[in-house]
Amino acid sequence: MPHFVKPAGGSWTAQYPELGTGPVDYTDSIDPAYYEAEREAVFRRTWLNVGRVERVARTGNYFTKELAVLGTSLVIVKGTDGQIRAFHNVCRHRGNKLVWNDFPGEETSGTCRQFTCKYHAWRYNLSGELTFVQQEQEFFDLDKADYGLKSVRCEVWEGFIFVNLDPDAPPLLDYMGELAEGLEGYPFHEMTEVYTYRAEVGSNWKLFIDAFAEFYHAPVLHQKQATKEEAEKLLGIGFEALSYDLKGDHAMISTWGGMSPPKDLNMVKPIERVLHSGLFGPWDRPKIKGILPDELPPAINPGRYATWGTDSFEFFPNFTLLFWAPGWYLTYHYWPTDVDKHIFECTLYFVPATNTRERLAHELAAVTFKEYAFQDANTLEATQTMINTRVVKEFPLCDQEILLRHLHKTAWDHVNAYKKEHGLANGHATSTASEKGAINV
Ligand code: FES
Ligand SMILES: [Fe+2]
């Protein structure tokens, strides 16, 4: 049943009894043993978004993806048959990394007809088949057909490329479920002006999702993003989302639009007035189909509120998709590199600008969002250092923090299911903290 309206006198969280309402244990964000379990149980078994089809628009376009959490590097490439495939980025001869540029640890992209290994020049075609072996006659009973690149499951949803290292995982569409189905038809393919940035953040990956899955912090942490009067007003009101929805492992929060465009131009800073952009991105809708309020797919602004401004979808484990009322979207990815570190990636997608003002509006939005993320990231590093002390392990979450409760429970559920399958002791009851036994991951 959709939960688009908060019941009178009730709470969002109470509609999902399995979440509980007790304080939440954050051992999952500090314990190295938990992190090791999570790598196997979550990242090696779920669908991970690695980018968009526009990155491999033509035959031979490829890019690599470094996945420290899985201890591997992948190469994603478009074949001559138009299919997008993913392979482990490893040469079958003696294991050299097949595709890299100047630095083997850095991601790269490009176009080629075949991949040639830098070490002894073995070659693979775009379907991953081994096509050439240097001094082939010197090898012993080597059948090239046995030495193709190791492939990885790769499926596409609405132009988003996903990979999965688990041969037994359900198909991508089943995994993405109802929330994703409700987004289908959004004109993603029109939004091809892309701004991207990435940073290594000194916090567990889930803490950054926590920061984007609630806006309860926004009037406080980001108050300097607004004019002084506006910030004070927002603080006084506090934050209340329009609606929340949880479907399986995934969840979304829908909220009001604030200043996009502002009701009163005095609410915003002069540069925003000039460029028609700022705190909530560009104000003006591009002229394309599919982004007007009544054209949006059903999962976006599910309550159909006139005051709607943005929706944030959290696809488990590490893919956030945010839609903005003026017709643009952004993605966040959080790639763990250790229990208390991850690489954060933000990518903003706009319909290509048709004039200078539009272009500058996009640029201002990109810069503003980077500033936001810095503010969040600083706080996360401060949080990580203190939860690491284990002086306090359980934290009370409010009703506006329902998605955090859901995220941490979902991660625990995956870890526990994995441990059960492998005959390992269950480390955690997945409901409220008060029901939990000793942590034993
Ligand atoms: S390791 Fe690749 S050709 Fe030898
Ligand atoms: Fe924030």
Side-chain angles (χ1 to χ4, degrees), residues 59-73:
T59 301
N61 287 171
Y62 66 84
F63 65 91
T64 64
K65 188 77 205 161
E66 299 301 306
L67 296 175
V69 65
L70 297 172
T72 194
S73 164

Side-chain angles (χ1 to χ4, degrees), residues 211 217 222 376:
H217 75 275
H222 304 302
D376 289 310

Side-chain angles (χ1 to χ4, degrees), residues 22-71:
V24 170
D25 187 308
Y26 269 66
T27 304
D28 65 1
S29 303
I30 56 174
D31 185 345
Y34 181 90
Y35 174 64
E36 289 306 316
E38 198 176 54
R39 291 174 71 174
E40 298 305 314
V42 174
F43 286 91
R44 205 173 286 282
R45 308 211 304 180
T46 53
W47 286 97
L48 305 172
N49 174 246
V50 291
R52 290 239 357 129
V53 291
E54 288 82 13
R55 290 200 70 192
V56 284
R58 310 167 91 140
T59 301
N61 287 171
Y62 66 84
F63 65 91
T64 64
K65 188 77 205 161
E66 299 301 306
L67 296 175
V69 65
L70 297 172

Side-chain angles (χ1 to χ4, degrees), residues 211-212 214-215 217-218 221-222 372-373 375-376:
F212 287 127
E214 56 89 358
F215 295 109
H217 75 275
L221 184 64
H222 304 302
Y372 264 130
Q375 292 170 9
D376 289 310

Side-chain angles (χ1 to χ4, degrees), residues 132-280:
F132 174 80
V133 171
Q134 179 76 19
Q135 291 161 253
E136 190 176 350
Q137 69 283 4
E138 304 254 4
F139 282 85
F140 306 95
D141 303 320
L142 184 134
D143 183 350
K144 290 207 285 299
D146 296 335
Y147 289 92
L149 296 177
K150 289 283 184 192
S151 68
V152 172
R153 290 179 68 188
C154 179
E155 294 178 20
V156 175
W157 167 78
E158 293 292 288
F160 291 95
I161 305 167
F162 288 76
V163 295
N164 195 321
L165 263 65
D166 180 2
D168 301 321
L172 174 64
L173 293 193
D174 293 358
Y175 177 75
M176 297 293 281
E178 241 182 282
L179 274 187
E181 200 184 322
L183 293 174
E184 287 172 10
Y186 188 79
F188 293 108
H189 61 285
E190 303 251 31
M191 300 179 186
T192 53
E193 189 183 308
V194 178
Y195 296 79
T196 186
Y197 58 88
R198 72 205 301 265
E200 183 164 74
V201 179
S203 87
N204 185 268
W205 62 281
K206 295 185 293 300
L207 294 194
F208 216 152
I209 303 183
D210 285 354
F212 287 127
E214 56 89 358
F215 295 109
Y216 171 57
H217 75 275
V220 184
L221 184 64
H222 304 302
Q223 57 180 291
K224 294 219 167 68
Q225 297 296 100
T227 58
K228 193 165 177 289
E229 307 75 64
E230 200 53 31
E232 277 163 9
K233 218 193 299 171
L234 289 172
L235 257 178
I237 300 166
F239 175 82
E240 167 98 49
L242 292 173
S243 58
Y244 295 90
D245 197 7
L246 274 55
K247 290 271 185 338
D249 288 353
H250 316 301
M252 66 88 71
I253 168 175
S254 182
T255 188
W256 44 272
M259 286 170 261
S260 186
K263 282 179 215 68
D264 171 1
L265 285 180
N266 292 321
M267 291 163 81
V268 300
K269 296 175 178 173
I271 190 172
E272 300 174 52
R273 265 173 249 162
V274 174
L275 296 182
H276 283 202
S277 179
L279 192 58
F280 289 78

Side-chain angles (χ1 to χ4, degrees), residues 287-302:
K287 289 172 189 50
I288 60 162
K289 277 199 172 41
I291 51 173
L292 290 171
D294 57 347
E295 296 174 331
L296 289 170
I300 300 181
N301 184 15

